[in-house]
Amino acid sequence: MEASVPELSWVPAAGGGGRGGGGRMLRATAGSVEQRDEEQEDEAEEELRDGGVPFYVNRGGLPVDEETWERMWRHVARIHPNGEALGKETRGATDLPKIPIPSVPTFQPTTTIPQRLEAIQKYIRELQYNHTGTQFFEIKKSRPLTALMDIAKEMTREALPIKCLEAVILGIYLTNNMPGVERFPLSFQSHFSGNHFHHIVLGVHCGGRFGALGTSRREDLMFKPLEFRTLMDLVQEFEGAYRGYWHTLRKVRIGQYVSHDAHSVEQIEWKHSILDLDKLTKDELRKELERHTRDMRLKIGKPAPPSPTKDRRNSMGSPLRGQGSPVRRISRIERRPSGDKKVLEPKSAAEINGYQIRV
């Protein structure tokens, strides 16, 4: 999370695949941010629009090509208080310390589920949060699960800093061999000082308790131990954390349980329920979350689409370097309606108005 006053937001063009993909520039006024949020809500690109703050995605794969590398350093020079000096000092240094590469966690059969989740979160934390302004791994939400798992493997090999959406994909990959742990996307839209901010974590459910894995600039907006009795308790925990940073939580989007088959061609259902907190009373919100919990339980036991054969998997190629994995469109699930709009009490934030506290 950072404090800044945004003026321009760069969002990579939808067709900018390949090395050095292009971009288009959008003006981030208070009105236009909300309008774009509604227009692009179904385009799975909210992770690229974080309160209007400039945000690039590396679309050229790894190793990073020269154009993307130079663009990243130009961006650092613009957003860091000592950007140009920092860039010259860092790039010209010959005695930089060697960065340790975290080890992917392995477990004994006697290791409990909470201990495993804590070890996975520790690994995600050791990779560190990416503050460069350039996301190193391109995550397309419409890709089949098998392609996203290939990207997760790449993350473990490269051991680069990651952002919240990358952490969700990595969390799914690292929990695939835990059949008793159900995983689901849990994303938030908050509002602060005229801008909307987006964040996502991986919700987990096991033994009748909920928790979360992820990464964030803020310690209390990522990992949650497996100790919340209901989904409502988990959401309220995050809402309280947002209030601590003067953010108003506006929307919560919850997906369905994700398959444990790493070779599944099924797409992740990111937005099975979209809950508008401005329009729901506390009781209505609880009922909607209870309904979503039941919907997730109903998915358990349903047969998943057959996995591709070995020959077909090989023909898919790398999601970062090939033509892209085939996309199978899933039918849209009818979203849960929100209740009547309620009047929110205005909050006083005169001391901090004008700053953008990023989450």
Side-chain angles (χ1 to χ4, degrees), residues 16-22 58-68 320-321:
R19 295 187 178 273
N58 169 35
R59 296 187 182 276
L62 296 171
V64 176
D65 60 66
E66 187 68 19
E67 182 179 349
T68 302
L320 293 178
R321 296 181 174 85

Side-chain angles (χ1 to χ4, degrees), residues 53 61-62 84 89 135 154 227 239 250 268 336 345:
V53 177
L62 296 171
E84 289 193 18
E89 179 183 354
Q135 181 175 300
E154 188 94 354
E227 60 184 29
E239 185 177 21
R250 290 289 174 80
I268 295 175
R336 301 299 181 193
E345 295 182 5

Side-chain angles (χ1 to χ4, degrees), residues 336-355:
R336 301 299 181 193
S338 297
D340 295 330
K341 187 176 181 66
K342 66 175 182 178
V343 179
L344 294 179
E345 295 182 5
K347 292 187 178 181
S348 174
E351 304 174 39
I352 54 175
N353 197 23
Y355 292 91

Side-chain angles (χ1 to χ4, degrees), residues 303-317:
S307 300
T309 63
K310 183 177 179 181
D311 291 340
R312 184 182 175 190
R313 289 201 301 271
N314 292 337
S315 68
M316 285 183 177

Side-chain angles (χ1 to χ4, degrees), residues 10 37 74 80 221-222:
W10 283 84
D37 179 69
R74 290 195 301 269
H80 195 280
L221 286 173
M222 44 182 181

